[in-house]
Amino acid sequence: MHKFLPVVVIAFLFTNSCSFIPELGAVRFPVSRKFPGDTTGAVPPDIAWRKFFTDPRLRVLVETALANNSDLRTAVLNVERSRAQYAISRSGLFPGVFGTGSAERSRRLQNGGAATANNYELKVGMTSYELDLFGRIHSLNQSALNRFLATDAGRVGVQISLVAEVASQYITERALLEQIEVAGQTRDGMNAAYDIMLRRRDAGTVSDVEMSSVEVQRQTAEADLAAFRQQLRQINNSLVFLTSGSLPSSLPKGRSLDDQIVADVRAGTPSDLLWRRPDIREAEFQLRSANADIGAARAAYFPRVTLTAEGGIASNRFSNLFSNGTGTFNFNPQISVPIFAGARLDANLDVAEISKKIEIVNYQKAIQNAFREVADGLAGRSGLAAQIAANERLVEAQRKRAQLATSRYDQGVDSYFEVLTAMLDHYAARQRLIQLRMAREINSVSLYKALGGGW
């Protein structure tokens, strides 16, 4: 057994003695060094989602989705599989050791009689182990490690996308509830106006044309109610799907769009995206994996040295198995040199180098896409803020106009068409303001996601 130890020591000394993995170098940063537009905000982009979402009802929905969503569970399982594949690759850096024990009894005919032979063996050996003289196994191990890290970054990306999708669907639900309330108020007002107009028509002071106009407004509000309720049911179904089951029965009360559902996030700098955005990190790890594959393809041109060894004891009598002189030892080094595999090796190296170029393009594309998403979010934030302020003033002006038109109609100055037009415009302005507030909240969620989501 003492003869076997130097072999193991030599194997470890030669492991990773050389590497043909090329220097990755700096990849060109294909975007501007600062974001356009307003980058101010109340909270940093790496704030945890529990603090970013200020609505308690939304927090519970997000927690439920993270615990139950099937897509996220699949992403987690992919990470576990990638971790196991990396462990398999890493095991090639170390020799495998095995132990065996056997007992054999044979009987054969000899000179009209029978001879019996026994053989007992105990062995410890090393499986065929490749000395990584040129870093081939190390390169493959680095490639597997970076694929694992890329898969884990992809899992984080799934988490962020899931959180953002739940938040967007929830904000849409909040908007639909407010739209239903406004449509219901308008319908009730039209029903009351219709009853008044009906009595006036019976008295001969209102024409059928005016009655028809009121009826049109009633049915418009009724149709809007039906449409909003249908959309609300679809949103509820979407939230159930995202949480992979029924919604919790004891959800806290949610906030309105007038209240703060999400925090106002500030952008920071584009370089921050390189470590915050999981898709950029995933692309970077894929690039590093492809770069390591080049090292493995280069190392394949050189000889491979493998070692196999075993040692133990053997005897034809079990009682003598541990006696002196029963030791056995077998050492079998092998070397293989590629001779006529040049075309295949050249092609493998070409594939590895082209794959690296593809991953460089994918990496730059991920950076550009992240920059565009953040820039769009910032542009949307400033634009929506101006639109909301203008529409708030418009809603107030339309409300006063409807009041004035009603007063003038009661005084006999204007026809009821003026009242209907003013009420319709006020209703449309209120619905538009709800949609803009919804877009503002969803834009904040999208910007939070674009900046890395706080994971």
Side-chain angles (χ1 to χ4, degrees), residues 27-42:
V27 179
R28 184 177 64 87
F29 199 71
V31 296
S32 172
R33 293 297 176 179
K34 63 179 182 178
F35 293 117
D38 180 19
T39 59
T40 61

Side-chain angles (χ1 to χ4, degrees), residues 180-195:
I180 288 173
E181 181 180 1
V182 171
Q185 291 173 355
T186 302
R187 180 202 59 185
D188 295 342
M190 288 299 174
N191 287 337
Y194 183 82
D195 293 338

Side-chain angles (χ1 to χ4, degrees), residues 33-35 267-273 276 451:
R33 293 297 176 179
K34 63 179 182 178
F35 293 117
T269 62
S271 60
D272 294 336
L273 298 178
R276 274 204 307 261
L451 290 168

Side-chain angles (χ1 to χ4, degrees), residues 83-84 121 157 159 200 208 243 252 293 297 302 341 393:
R83 182 185 288 112
E121 290 184 344
Q159 288 179 324
R200 291 182 177 180
D208 289 339
T243 56
D293 287 337
F302 294 88
R393 295 190 294 269

Side-chain angles (χ1 to χ4, degrees), residues 3-4 7 98 125-131 304-311 329-336:
K3 297 179 180 181
F4 177 65
V7 177
F98 67 90
M126 180 180 69
T127 58
S128 181
Y129 171 65
E130 179 179 344
L131 290 180
R304 297 185 188 181
V305 178
T306 58
L307 304 177
T308 303
E310 63 178 14
F329 180 75
N330 180 33
F331 177 57
N332 183 26
Q334 292 184 345
I335 182 170
S336 60

Side-chain angles (χ1 to χ4, degrees), residues 48-50 52-53 58-59 61-63 65-66 69 72 156-171 239 242 445 448-449 453 455:
W49 64 263
R50 290 179 178 83
F52 177 72
F53 298 134
L58 176 57
R59 288 196 194 116
L61 291 175
V62 171
E63 288 175 353
L66 290 176
N69 185 264
L72 184 55
V156 177
V158 173
Q159 288 179 324
I160 294 175
S161 297
L162 175 62
V163 169
E165 183 64 19
V166 172
S168 297
Q169 295 296 319
Y170 174 75
I171 291 169
L239 288 173
L242 291 172
V445 172
Y448 180 66
K449 174 186 175 184
W455 286 90

Side-chain angles (χ1 to χ4, degrees), residues 210-335:
E210 290 177 314
M211 288 295 301
S212 298
S213 298
V214 176
E215 179 63 19
V216 168
Q217 298 303 320
R218 289 177 62 198
Q219 296 307 322
T220 298
E222 198 69 57
D224 287 347
L225 268 175
F228 293 147
R229 286 168 177 165
Q230 176 187 349
Q231 295 174 35
L232 182 61
R233 288 192 294 268
Q234 291 173 339
I235 289 296
N236 286 333
N237 291 338
S238 179
L239 288 173
V240 169
F241 172 77
L242 291 172
T243 56
S244 296
S246 59
L247 298 178
S249 58
S250 57
L251 286 172
K253 184 179 179 181
R255 296 183 175 181
S256 67
L257 296 179
D258 287 337
D259 301 324
Q260 191 178 41
I261 295 179
V262 298
D264 186 23
V265 65
R266 58 177 178 266
T269 62
S271 60
D272 294 336
L273 298 178
L274 296 181
W275 62 268
R276 274 204 307 261
R277 288 267 304 208
D279 58 334
I280 294 180
R281 296 205 308 274
E282 181 179 7
E284 179 185 351
F285 289 132
Q286 293 288 7
L287 172 57
R288 294 184 180 279
S289 176
N291 191 57
D293 287 337
I294 294 178
R298 289 176 175 177
Y301 284 92
F302 294 88
R304 297 185 188 181
V305 178
T306 58
L307 304 177
T308 303
E310 63 178 14
I313 51 178
S315 174
N316 58 0
R317 293 185 179 183
F318 185 78
S319 59
N320 295 334
L321 187 61
F322 297 95
S323 302
N324 292 331
T326 60
T328 63
F329 180 75
N330 180 33
F331 177 57
N332 183 26
Q334 292 184 345
I335 182 170

